[in-house]
Amino acid sequence: MATSIKKIVAASLIGTTIEWYDFFLYGSAAALVFNKLFFPESDPLTGTLLAFLTYAVGFVARPLGGLVFGHFGDRVGRKTLLVVSLLMMGTATFLIGCLPTYETLGPAAALVLTGLRLVQGFALGGEWGGAVLIVSEHGDDARRGFWASWPQAGAPGGNLLATGVLAALAAWQSEDTFLAWGWRVPFLLSGVLVLIGLWIRLSITESPVFQESEPEERAPIVGVLRHHWKDVLVAIGARLAENISFYLLTVFVITYAKTAGVDNSTVLGAVLIASAVHFVTIPMWGALSDRVGRRPIYLAGAAGIGLWIFAFFPLVDTGNFLAITVAVIVGLLFHGMMYGPQAAFFSELFGTRMRYTGVSIGAQLSAIVAGALAPLIAVALLREYSSSLPISLYLGLAAVLTLGAVYAARETQGRDLAERTHVR
């Protein structure tokens, strides 16, 4: 019996929210405490840079996860791989909460932390493609942008949850208590969340589009490279401004605000509110893309964030809570214009039996040069120039590249996902 689209959306949204909670929790902790707990012998900015290096290795593992999960997802189905990815992510996050710090293990603590981060990245590399595809392939052509945007809302949902838990702990605990044991609580909480997510995901049916299709290649990656290499390049380019902007607006801003003398509770509160707005508005952008097309909305978002970033950092510099909140909200609104239509846009580029592989490889390869490096490049530029201007120029250049990639792509709105899309 087919599962209703609403239940499919709920299962994907809850699962992606949990997975992104785990992933973003690490990023926030890297900015707040990991520099002190795992790299205590470095100066503050160097320690933060080293913490972000362990953060970045998660992105390095994402293309590998996308390739492995994509291969089996295109061969045996979407549902099974979504259950596996959630188990992997939840286990790694829970173990981070149990991990001894530098004080107990010395340098080995950072090595184990890096290993668990690799597992997180591998799992997330396989999660995203499966989550958006199982919704895209259950939904109808006319409203695919709206339905497929809900798993995308799991990113701000997870960030909202992770930031909310950290903000509550930071507000209720002293810094010494938070460093001693409070930081572990959000990681251990992941174990409970994963059980909830598994219960829901196990109850849904496989994608009907996948079930009705026949394998086209023994190795889906061969089909992707043979028929869809241009689409992979489009996906990589389209993600540059989207991915870089998100991590600057939600992860790096914590480090930047600290150097500007803004306390943690202020910036965490601003990100918390902005993430709530982001969560609500992503499906709106997805729905709008069903009416006017994927490309116009995506192009507007890329142009908007490329300009807004030059106002973003000066607003953070004010130290004013309202100004910082507005800065992050507007930035995430432009990000949502790209992220909302993205799931449907990418799904519509590829054939069914190579779709999981195609969207995963395109999205995750970009994540290495975009999301993985964004906090590192931003911290390095801040250290070198003691100014936000080079960071703004960095995102501005990425926005130009994204505009070029999306402009060069064909409009995909309304495409029948059951057709063999590699036949031109």
Side-chain angles (χ1 to χ4, degrees), residues 145-158:
F146 172 69
W147 291 122
S149 67
W150 279 102
Q152 300 289 78

Side-chain angles (χ1 to χ4, degrees), residues 42-189:
S42 305
D43 67 79
L45 266 183
T46 301
T48 300
L49 191 60
L50 291 171
F52 277 142
L53 276 171
T54 65
Y55 170 78
V57 299
F59 288 85
V60 175
R62 280 167 65 170
L64 180 59
L67 181 61
V68 173
F69 277 82
H71 173 83
F72 289 103
D74 281 329
R75 299 290 297 176
V76 303
R78 316 328 191 183
K79 174 182 171 179
T80 301
L81 276 299
L82 285 173
V83 171
V84 173
S85 70
L86 189 59
L87 270 174
M88 288 183 67
M89 176 68 88
T91 301
T93 305
F94 183 84
L95 290 177
I96 289 174
C98 303
L99 185 63
T101 62
Y102 183 93
E103 186 178 1
T104 304
L105 283 186
L111 292 177
V112 178
L113 180 68
T114 302
L116 292 173
R117 181 60 175 173
L118 283 168
V119 175
Q120 280 191 323
F122 185 85
L124 191 63
E127 159 71 21
W128 182 82
V132 300
L133 289 187
I134 202 163
V135 174
S136 295
E137 293 176 348
H138 270 87
D140 60 278
D141 297 342
R143 302 189 68 196
R144 184 177 299 124
F146 172 69
W147 291 122
S149 67
W150 279 102
Q152 300 289 78
N159 196 35
L160 181 65
L161 191 58
T163 306
V165 172
L166 286 170
L169 290 170
W172 296 336
Q173 293 182 326
S174 67
E175 184 173 356
D176 289 342
T177 303
F178 185 68
L179 285 172
W181 60 268
W183 68 273
R184 298 182 183 275
V185 174
F187 288 91
L188 298 176
L189 179 63

Side-chain angles (χ1 to χ4, degrees), residues 296-316:
I297 306 300
Y298 213 115
L299 289 169
I305 196 61
L307 295 173
W308 179 251
I309 196 64
F310 290 94
F312 175 78
F313 289 112
L315 286 171
V316 175

Side-chain angles (χ1 to χ4, degrees), residues 23 55-64 232-248 360-378 381 391 394-395 397-399 401-402 405:
F23 203 76
Y55 170 78
V57 299
F59 288 85
V60 175
R62 280 167 65 170
L64 180 59
V232 170
L233 292 178
V234 166
I236 290 173
R239 286 215 75 193
L240 288 176
E242 175 268 307
N243 218 220
I244 291 172
S245 64
F246 190 79
Y247 291 102
L248 291 184
S360 297
I361 294 300
Q364 305 311 332
L365 282 176
S366 184
I368 293 182
V369 297
L373 297 180
L376 290 169
I377 292 173
L381 289 173
I391 304 170
Y394 161 54
L395 179 54
L397 175 60
L401 294 174
T402 292

